[in-house]
Amino acid sequence: MSYQLWLEYSRSIVSIALLSVSSIQDVRSREIDDRVWIVLLASALLLNMLGVFQGSVEPAWWLVFTGLQSLLFLLLYYGGVYGGADAKSLMCLSLMYPSSPTGFLIELSTGRLPVAFSTLNNALMLTMLYLPANLIWNLSVRLKGAELFKGLEKEGFLRRAAALMLLRKVRFSQYCSENSRFLLAEKRSRSGLRRIVFSRRINGDEAEQVFNSDEHVFASFLMPLQVLVLLGLLTRLFYGDILLSISLLIVSRFAAGL
């Protein structure tokens, strides 16, 4: 086995192992120990410094690509796309997997982008699976006898359709017992009018005053995004970039039709 191939395998093994740890923690508590990122960061520095000395890593381009990707991940974090742990994991991956202009062009021709960026692309594409998952959840709740839009008759068709795909109907008691996994997405005014709220978190103390424990309410399920980051990385390593591959396929089909 060549030294460069050994480095590639080492990067993948370390990244997959530590993202597996972060995924387990994310599923259990939605909180991830910062020691995971410290170990991943230290491993990335060690492995790629070995690559610099061996000649397979260009230090200047390694830092440039790491800096550009990390800046993007920070901007998305401050834009509210994901949480701090998700930004840290992607920034660590940008440091773990070095790139260069030549390597970028070679990978682009095969439907791949830099590993960290493709990991994010793949993770965001995989979040689409939550739309049918939420719909199936809500339909199962309806089949069990719960009225999905009881008290929400004044909500428009589009808002109801969005709620079915983006939110989950749960008992208020379940929301209270698992509020680390859910954000309340429904509010009732003092006059009794209920509204679906997509954009902000409702204070739990306020909500407890207006909902009974056995009532069903819409809530936003907090995705354990680290699981999707792990799956996104695995997809990138063994397949490529889902979004880029779809885009290239569309372009090729369009060009063939001209």
Side-chain angles (χ1 to χ4, degrees), residues 59 61 78 81 112 119 121 145 164 194 201 207 229 251 258:
W61 285 117
Y78 285 113
V81 175
R112 289 175 167 83
T119 296
N121 277 349
L164 290 176
R194 294 173 68 156
R201 184 169 185 169
V229 171
V251 170
L258 293 178

Side-chain angles (χ1 to χ4, degrees), residues 19 21 56 59 63 69-71 106 112-113 118 130 146 167 172 174 178 185 203-204 226 233 237-238:
L19 285 180
V21 173
S56 61
L63 296 177
Q69 290 181 93
S70 296
L71 178 60
I106 292 174
R112 289 175 167 83
L113 291 170
S118 282
Y130 273 84
L167 307 173
F172 187 68
Q174 181 181 356
E178 301 181 36
N203 180 274
Q226 280 301 292
L233 174 63
L237 295 176
F238 293 103

Side-chain angles (χ1 to χ4, degrees), residues 172 186-188 194 207-213 215 217:
F172 187 68
E186 193 173 321
K187 182 178 180 180
R188 182 160 58 196
R194 294 173 68 156
E208 289 173 8
Q209 297 175 8
V210 294
F211 289 109
N212 298 322
S213 61
E215 285 187 279
V217 295

Side-chain angles (χ1 to χ4, degrees), residues 38-72:
I38 293 173
V39 174
L40 186 54
L41 179 65
S43 301
L45 288 171
L46 174 61
L47 289 172
N48 287 308
M49 287 304 297
L50 291 175
V52 170
F53 292 133
Q54 184 266 341
S56 61
V57 175
E58 299 178 39
W61 285 117
W62 171 36
L63 296 177
V64 167
F65 274 86
T66 296
L68 290 174
Q69 290 181 93
S70 296
L71 178 60
L72 171 64

